[in-house]
Amino acid sequence: MAGLPNLDHYWLPFTANRQFKSMPRLFKAAKGNYYTTIDDRILLDGTAGLWCVAAGHGREEIASAVAHQLRTLDYAPAFQNSHPLAFEAAERLAQFMPHGLDRIFFTGSGSESADTALKIALAYHRVTGNPLRNKLIGRERGYHGVNFGGLSVGGIAGNSKSFGNGLAGVDHIRHPLDISRNAFTRGVPKDGGVELANEFEQRITTLHDPATIAALIVEPMQGSAGVVLPPAGYLKRLREICDKYGILLIFDEVITGFGRLGTRFGSDYFGVVPDILTCAKGLTNGAVPMGAVAVKREIHDAFMSNAPANAIELPHGYTYTAHPIACAAAIAMNNIFAADKLVERAAGLGGHFEQAAHSLKGVPFVRDVRNIGLVAGIELEPTPGKPGARAFATYLKCYEMGVLVRYTGDVIAISPPLTIEKNEIDRIFSCIAEALTSIAAEGDKGLDFTRYLKDEQQWVVPPA
Ligand SMILES: Cc1ncc(COP(=O)(O)O)c(C=O)c1O
């Protein structure tokens, strides 16, 4: 058994650090759909890491491509120089994208992709002679990463309230979650989509001059804020309104990309093609940090034809844009998608997954189950005065029982690798049912976190 490291120096992201360090949950290995923890516990990965390990852990194809690349060309300057794999990775990704989105800008993460997309939208209007189109519209409960652009158009107050005002010239439209009307709907809610989308038009015409709006950014399915699905017709109507007023539509597909909904992208699932699409995560199976922004050819070409000869068309990019190691991983992952038919696999499992998720109806505290593709959100009744406490207890209890789930607020979010088996899907949801039943039976004690993972505290001291 490996030992416990010194926990003092590492400041964990989006984590209750003090709680974590009193009960560290450390993984030392992963293969297929399972993690091994530092104390040799085996955990079924119900979350594909952070929605990113689409092809399962420890893929040999990615490991050997990365190792080979590391020994061949570890780095090439990203500005004014490049390397062949960058072009190959872009070509492969362009072919994987919805039709027309075939110009690719690489980034290092989903957050960088969101900010890159917003900057391209603003700059596009400038190069095409519309500098007054400079407002950005996001959505309540939207998550577009943690950089200032994404944070500003994002709609999760808890993420932004610590950081001041964010970007100026930003507004938000309503989120589509309506539990009173749609609780326990299987898949997307049937009604209300067009009416809800029409509020976008109403908002931009009554509060703004639509000719000042540069872009609307939405996730096809809002993942991080608790699995919020768009009602039927909603995204199509947003597309129509954007077209009517010359507003660019950006889909943030950092979660919905790469097979998660049983289609390559959310755009394919909903039959709506944005002008700009952002992605990350499944692009490299989470093995190497990388994101990308796919842009319609006309948008890209506007930059190429309007900038003076030999001038930099877009003054934007990162040291690690199209990093050779990340490109090698992305190409290997692209091969895996084809060889393993991962998207088709996810589509084939959707019905079983939906059935298993909705078996939680009637389990203590479950007030809604939402599902699409291989994603489920299980919304719990909140505990008065302790938001998120029940979901956190459920996460700890499931961890004890050998299943990794994710929680966000009072929602348990499930998004397994696309390599998940049917019996593993059943295990995830029966584990959640058992955890909630046990928490309900224990009353207040069920929310006493110090009672969980007791044996996790008995660490072996590393050899000197
Ligand atoms: C829709 C969406 N956009 C952006 C991000 C940010 O990605 P990253 O954490 O790679 O910066 C996420 C992360 O979960 C996301 O879900």
Side-chain angles (χ1 to χ4, degrees):
M1 193 193 294
L4 187 64
N6 179 349
L7 299 176
D8 292 345
H9 300 285
Y10 177 43
W11 187 345
L12 287 88
F14 274 122
T15 298
N17 275 256
R18 290 158 298 168
Q19 194 285 331
F20 179 90
K21 289 178 183 181
S22 72
M23 187 191 281
R25 301 172 294 278
L26 301 177
F27 303 150
K28 67 175 180 186
K31 193 73 191 166
N33 299 330
Y34 293 88
Y35 286 107
T36 308
T37 66
I38 191 172
D39 63 339
D40 291 323
R41 203 180 276 267
I42 305 293
L43 282 183
L44 174 57
D45 185 359
T47 63
L50 280 179
W51 313 79
C52 47
V53 187
H57 294 272
R59 294 300 300 236
E60 200 40 53
E61 306 91 318
I62 297 176
S64 57
V66 163
H68 173 76
Q69 188 55 38
L70 204 43
R71 294 197 176 98
T72 313
L73 175 72
D74 55 350
Y75 182 77
F79 307 163
Q80 307 293 355
N81 301 273
S82 192
H83 59 97
L85 280 196
F87 296 88
E88 188 182 340
E91 184 179 16
R92 297 283 200 99
L93 186 56
Q95 286 162 358
F96 200 72
M97 281 284 159
H99 184 69
L101 291 163
D102 63 359
R103 295 294 183 262
I104 309 291
F105 197 101
F106 283 117
T107 71
S109 66
S111 299
E112 287 181 3
S113 295
D115 278 39
T116 298
L118 297 172
K119 287 177 76 177
I120 289 176
L122 291 171
Y124 167 77
H125 291 302
R126 286 180 179 247
V127 298
T128 53
N130 295 301
L132 294 183
R133 274 198 188 272
N134 53 23
K135 290 183 192 155
L136 300 167
I137 312 284
R139 214 163 33 146
E140 296 168 1
R141 296 181 82 127
Y143 183 64
H144 305 292
V146 293
N147 293 341
F148 271 106
L151 198 63
S152 304
V153 291
I156 303 177
N159 288 353
S160 49
K161 66 180 182 198
S162 308
F163 306 110
N165 297 330
L167 292 187
V170 167
D171 202 353
H172 294 81
I173 56 174
R174 245 189 347 135
H175 68 74
L177 182 63
D178 185 352
I179 296 184
S180 65
R181 187 170 169 176
N182 296 318
F184 299 102
T185 297
R186 292 174 179 237
V188 298
K190 307 282 170 289
D191 303 318
V194 172
E195 294 80 354
L196 194 60
N198 281 340
E199 287 184 13
F200 168 49
E201 181 170 29
Q202 209 226 344
R203 170 153 297 215
I204 57 174
T205 49
T206 54
L207 288 174
H208 305 273
D209 172 357
T212 64
I213 312 291
L216 168 69
I217 181 167
V218 294
E219 302 153 85
M221 179 274 304
Q222 297 181 295
S224 295
V227 184
V228 178
L229 308 184
Y234 171 80
L235 293 172
K236 267 202 168 75
R237 183 70 193 127
L238 288 184
R239 174 75 273 182
E240 288 164 8
I241 297 166
C242 285
D243 287 343
K244 179 171 170 188
Y245 294 104
I247 296 166
L248 294 179
L249 178 61
I250 305 172
F251 276 0
D252 184 336
E253 296 239 25
V254 166
I255 279 180
T256 50
F258 301 101
R260 177 59 51 202
L261 306 188
T263 50
R264 288 180 176 183
F265 289 93
S267 164
D268 303 307
Y269 185 96
F270 293 104
V272 178
V273 181
D275 300 297
I276 302 176
L277 186 156
T278 69
C279 62
K281 298 196 189 268
L283 175 57
T284 58
N285 207 32
V288 181
M290 187 182 216
V293 180
V295 177
K296 275 193 176 157
R297 193 180 299 188
E298 308 87 271
I299 294 177
H300 166 271
D301 289 353
F303 285 88
M304 300 305 137
S305 51
N306 285 309
N310 298 322
I312 291 171
E313 298 91 1
L314 182 69
H316 176 75
Y318 306 94
T319 300
Y320 301 125
T321 285
H323 192 288
I325 309 304
C327 290
I331 293 166
M333 183 59 175
N334 187 265
N335 290 337
I336 291 173
F337 265 102
D340 290 10
K341 295 193 169 33
L342 274 185
V343 176
E344 296 80 349
R345 191 171 198 287
L349 285 170
H352 186 91
F353 185 85
E354 177 174 280
Q355 195 66 26
H358 282 272
S359 70
L360 293 177
K361 188 174 182 182
V363 166
F365 309 126
V366 174
R367 69 187 282 241
D368 188 18
V369 173
R370 304 184 279 275
N371 75 285
I372 183 168
L374 291 188
V375 183
I378 299 125
E379 176 130 6
L380 306 179
E381 300 288 351
T383 318
K386 291 183 180 168
R390 213 167 255 154
F392 183 52
T394 311
Y395 153 78
L396 292 174
K397 187 79 193 163
C398 287
Y399 192 106
E400 274 189 357
M401 292 192 282
V403 174
L404 183 70
V405 304
R406 185 169 151 64
Y407 75 100
T408 165
D410 285 301
V411 179
I412 307 285
I414 299 301
S415 58
L418 312 184
T419 50
I420 195 85
E421 299 292 342
K422 284 184 179 169
N423 65 325
E424 293 170 331
I425 292 173
D426 297 344
R427 184 164 164 229
I428 292 170
F429 291 105
S430 59
C431 180
I432 294 170
E434 205 179 313
L436 286 168
T437 307
S438 131
I439 291 165
E442 290 182 330
D444 284 350
K445 280 199 291 183
L447 298 184
D448 175 1
F449 306 138
T450 61
R451 295 173 66 246
Y452 293 98
L453 296 180
K454 276 289 178 212
D455 52 346
E456 203 81 7
Q457 316 293 319
Q458 293 161 15
W459 303 100
V460 169
V461 178

